[in-house]
Each structure stands twice: as structure tokens, then as C-alpha cells.
Amino acid sequence: MTSAPHLHDASTRADLVDWGVQPDAIAGASRSSGKLVHKGPGNRPEIGIWVCTPGRWRLSIPRDEFCHFVAGSATYRADNGEVIDVTPGTAVFFPAGWVGECEVHETMRNTYYLTDREAGE
């Protein structure tokens, strides 16, 4: 047994759980799936793998989130005009309270770390 939660083959792992249709759709019907690596007390922090199919939706990041994209492509557009294009190898830190939209162009996969800190803390 190990004290370090981990998943082998995170960039190609196939035993993901269907998390359903992405809420707040603008165009398309993106579906999400993933696998949790760790959830702390009260579900904080949360660490896992997330895969999402093409589509576009509104999004609001509730807590600081770090994402490392390993497949696919997407564009994140913040309400303040910032544009972030992601492709394999891109790493992004979204601060708590980041608001905008995401458009997935090609099914994307990332590893993520959703921290304890919420907007305003």
C-alpha cells in the first residue's frame, strides 16, 4: 500500500467514469468523463483526469485550479477578453472566480488539481 494516491497511464487511461453532459451548453453536447486520483475531506482538494468531447459552454471556476492538457485542443475565453488556447503540453492555472466559456475543438484530456481556495478567500 502507498501513501501517495496515483494512477498509471494517466494520458491514455481508458477506465474513465461518464460524468455526463457538460452543463451550461452554448453549442454542441460536450460529454465529460474522468477518474479521480484523490478527494480530500469535504471533497477538497480534488485531483484527477478529465476528458471532454467537442462543444462550447459557459464556465465559472469555483476554486483555484491547475490543469495540464495532454491531448486535444480547446479555447478558453474569459469575460474580461483573455483568450487561452490549449493543446497537448499546455499548463494553465485558473484562479478561483475565473468566468468565461470553453470551446473544445478536439476531444481534450487533462490532469487537474482543484485546490481548497475559493474566490474571495
Side-chain angles (χ1 to χ4, degrees):
M1 182 178 248
T2 178
S3 63
H6 63 281
L7 295 173
H8 292 283
D9 304 319
S11 63
T12 58
R13 196 171 186 101
D15 63 337
L16 306 179
V17 175
D18 182 5
W19 291 347
V21 175
Q22 193 64 34
D24 299 324
I26 296 170
S30 290
R31 289 196 70 83
S32 291
S33 58
K35 184 88 171 175
L36 292 177
V37 175
H38 173 76
K39 264 196 177 189
N43 297 328
R44 295 175 180 205
E46 179 181 314
I47 302 159
I49 299 167
W50 177 48
V51 174
C52 192
T53 63
R56 185 171 152 223
W57 68 90
R58 292 284 306 157
L59 114 124
S60 178
I61 307 292
R63 302 189 308 260
D64 285 348
E65 184 172 6
F66 175 79
C67 298
H68 178 238
F69 297 86
V70 297
S73 65
T75 301
Y76 287 83
R77 290 179 180 84
D79 285 352
N80 68 7
E82 173 187 29
V83 175
I84 304 166
D85 290 313
V86 300
T87 56
T90 304
V92 180
F93 174 77
F94 293 100
W98 191 97
V99 178
E101 62 182 55
C102 176
E103 182 174 5
V104 176
H105 310 292
E106 177 185 355
T107 298
M108 70 173 174
R109 176 185 291 251
N110 73 38
T111 56
Y112 69 91
Y113 173 61
L114 189 58
T115 71
D116 291 344
R117 195 184 84 77
E118 292 188 10
E121 289 184 345

